[in-house]
Amino acid sequence: MALADSFDSSPAYAFKVTIDGIEIPKVTEVSGLKNEVDKIELKQQLADGKYVARQLIGRAKTGEFTVTRGLTDSKTISDWLKVVMNGDVAGARKNASVELLDYEGGTLKKYEFRNCWVRSVEINSLKAGATEQATEKFTVCFDESEVT
């Protein structure tokens, strides 16, 4: 199978993050986009006495990704964490997606995540006299993922 020959690559700055269909504003970084399967190692002794080790494809793994966005007065993400901490499993589960966009804003690739919940919310270091933007970083765990 040959790889497709594309003329343009996706610019790293062109992406959008949505959770339950609502676009998250002021996103500055997304990291940890990864799809993975387990590897099963099969070791066996053949009839002629030869030892053979093989790698088999296992089940799809769960995972997580991290989103960094500019800090606002919105409490949406911290309220989501509160729902998780209160043990409301049904209320905590959401669907999310990260779309990589081309230069014209069209979708090149879309990572879709199901049964997501927020694991942590963190504010960057606050320094007196600093000139950098205050940010909120949150980590989202997922059960299933798909790339379209």
Side-chain angles (χ1 to χ4, degrees):
M1 178 174 92
L3 294 175
D5 186 17
S6 180
F7 294 106
D8 290 323
S9 297
S10 173
Y13 62 80
F15 59 89
K16 66 180 177 179
V17 178
T18 58
I19 297 177
D20 272 355
I22 300 169
E23 188 173 343
I24 304 298
K26 301 186 183 290
V27 174
T28 59
E29 182 180 346
V30 177
S31 61
L33 294 179
K34 181 177 176 180
N35 285 336
E36 192 174 13
V37 295
D38 276 325
K39 176 182 76 169
I40 301 168
E41 192 169 329
L42 174 65
K43 299 175 185 176
Q44 60 187 9
Q45 195 81 26
L46 300 179
D48 63 359
K50 183 178 176 186
Y51 170 79
V52 177
R54 304 220 188 281
Q55 295 182 26
L56 305 174
I57 299 169
R59 294 184 179 147
K61 286 186 170 186
T62 60
E64 63 184 37
F65 62 95
T66 302
V67 177
T68 304
R69 70 183 196 126
L71 186 63
T72 67
D73 61 351
S74 171
K75 294 184 175 85
T76 304
I77 304 302
S78 53
D79 287 347
W80 187 15
L81 180 61
K82 191 181 298 183
V83 171
V84 172
M85 291 175 141
N86 289 336
D88 181 4
V89 175
R93 300 286 185 167
K94 301 182 182 299
N95 293 324
S97 69
V98 177
E99 290 183 57
L100 306 179
L101 308 173
D102 63 15
Y103 291 99
E104 296 175 340
T107 301
L108 284 176
K109 190 179 279 193
K110 184 175 184 180
Y111 288 80
E112 296 182 88
F113 305 100
R114 287 179 285 288
N115 293 324
C116 301
W117 53 277
V118 67
R119 181 174 66 89
S120 67
V121 179
E122 165 186 355
I123 304 300
N124 69 327
S125 297
L126 304 174
K127 299 175 234 162
T131 58
E132 66 225 24
Q133 175 187 16
T135 60
E136 175 180 61
K137 182 186 288 191
F138 58 96
T139 302
V140 177
C141 299
F142 60 87
D143 289 346
E144 301 172 27
S145 65
E146 181 180 4
V147 180
T148 55

